[in-house]
Amino acid sequence: MLEKDRISYFYDGDVGNVYFGPNHPMKPHRLCMTHHLVLSYGLHKKMEIYRPHKAYPIELAQFHSADYVEFLHRITPDTQHLYASELTRYNLGEDCPVFDNLFEFCQIYTGGTLDAARRLNHKTCDIAINWAGGLHHAKKCEASGFCYINDLVLGILELLKYHARVLYIDIDVHHGDGVEEAFYFTDRVMTVSFHKYGDLFFPGTGDIKIIAKVIETYLPGAIVLQCGADSLARDRLGCFNLSIEGHAECVKFVKKFNIPLLVTGGGGYTKENVARCWAVETGVLLDTELPNEIPNNEYIEYFAPDYTLKVPNLNMDNLNSKTYLSSIKVQVMESLRSIQHAPGVQMQEVPPDFYIPDFDEDELDPDERVDQHTQDKQIHRDDEYYEGDNDNDHDDGAR
């Protein structure tokens, strides 16, 4: 009998409380909705649940420029009018607004991806889930496409400390350009993005330059799967027509390779469908099929009038003809034939797992010495987790 995968799941309720602003399509509230679906279906009982640490600025600067990280740390809605040139330089504005608790939001979702990568590295789990992560457009020195810190790049860098090769797969409707750009000149990371290209669709990159052949050729030690849900039918920004079942089938397919797997969220702008999708995919990763009828939970009214998981597709023609798909497949196979089979890695000193800056506590603002997030890292909160008296509490997180 095969052993069940050990699954670690990362969530902090504070990540869903930020507000990008009126009429902005990005709604982090979708993360709270996802989490409560996970709870209402009882999936939390089958996983180890952790509240992630807030990533330190020095951790973010392992990829991003120190000046950009420092600016994100410093800028607030009340002071942004003083920094017009910096806002332009770092691409903050309409798509990537400055809002309250922006930096803490970045710290939490990035901390989840870093913690997930570290647990995979130390083989304390087989699959790690951080639905808050997956912000794949952020660049080294600027924000892009609703993304400020690229947690995926930072998570992959962490995985590269223990794995010679990492495969990145992206099923968001938008091209994973920030991740591709970050690793463009190394053969230790392969990026494969399925997305809409053409018609001036954001970000305008990602032309053809799958997956079973990729893995067979590249032999990755770990896989990062970005599950952006804006490729679903009825998304506010996306224009694809994927069913939740079709989207989840991608997750099921990748899981079957039994390679250490880090799963994140990403885009997704019809928030009730995002929550449905990621709850179903949590079930897929747990080999658990969820009943179509959504159990009662704090956000049940968002799923009216049917209160079901399945969402019907739109009546749209599939413009991807068999001929077109075949031509793409041929080009991909030709590209794979030309790459080095399972490229090797030279021996080198592995950087430490965890960067904790040295602080002089006497110089810190007393109100900032131990913030509330740090104090309650190991404390069960009734609004986040059910059944806090279970037997599987862990030293490095809350259940």
Side-chain angles (χ1 to χ4, degrees), residues 106-119:
C106 295
Q107 287 179 290
I108 294 172
Y109 76 72
T110 303
T113 298
L114 288 173
D115 287 352
R118 288 165 185 150
R119 288 192 70 79

Side-chain angles (χ1 to χ4, degrees), residues 187-201:
D187 59 4
R188 293 190 61 199
V189 180
M190 179 178 284
T191 62
V192 182
S193 178
F194 297 88
H195 53 266
K196 175 173 172 57
Y197 175 76
D199 303 327
L200 302 179
F201 194 72

Side-chain angles (χ1 to χ4, degrees), residues 174-293:
H174 300 96
H175 176 220
D177 58 331
V179 183
E180 180 180 293
E181 182 179 300
F183 297 110
Y184 198 76
F185 294 107
T186 177
D187 59 4
R188 293 190 61 199
V189 180
M190 179 178 284
T191 62
V192 182
S193 178
F194 297 88
H195 53 266
K196 175 173 172 57
Y197 175 76
D199 303 327
L200 302 179
F201 194 72
F202 183 87
T205 53
D207 195 0
I208 300 170
K209 292 264 192 252
I210 101 231
I211 290 301
K213 186 66 176 175
V214 169
I215 291 173
E216 176 191 324
T217 302
Y218 193 64
L219 297 179
I223 297 175
V224 176
L225 176 59
Q226 195 267 23
C227 297
D230 47 6
S231 44
L232 293 173
R234 303 172 188 273
D235 188 78
R236 279 182 64 190
L237 295 187
C239 52
F240 279 4
N241 197 29
L242 272 179
S243 66
I244 288 175
E245 295 93 325
H247 199 275
E249 192 62 34
C250 301
V251 177
K252 186 182 297 185
F253 186 78
V254 173
K255 178 181 183 291
K256 286 179 181 176
F257 289 98
N258 294 318
I259 293 171
L261 178 60
L262 197 167
V263 178
T264 73
Y269 307 101
T270 301
K271 59 186 182 179
E272 60 273 18
N273 290 348
V274 175
R276 286 178 166 107
C277 181
W278 291 344
V280 167
E281 290 173 351
T282 304
V284 164
L285 294 166
L286 288 164
D287 297 318
T288 303
E289 188 169 347
L290 305 185
N292 191 34
E293 185 177 342

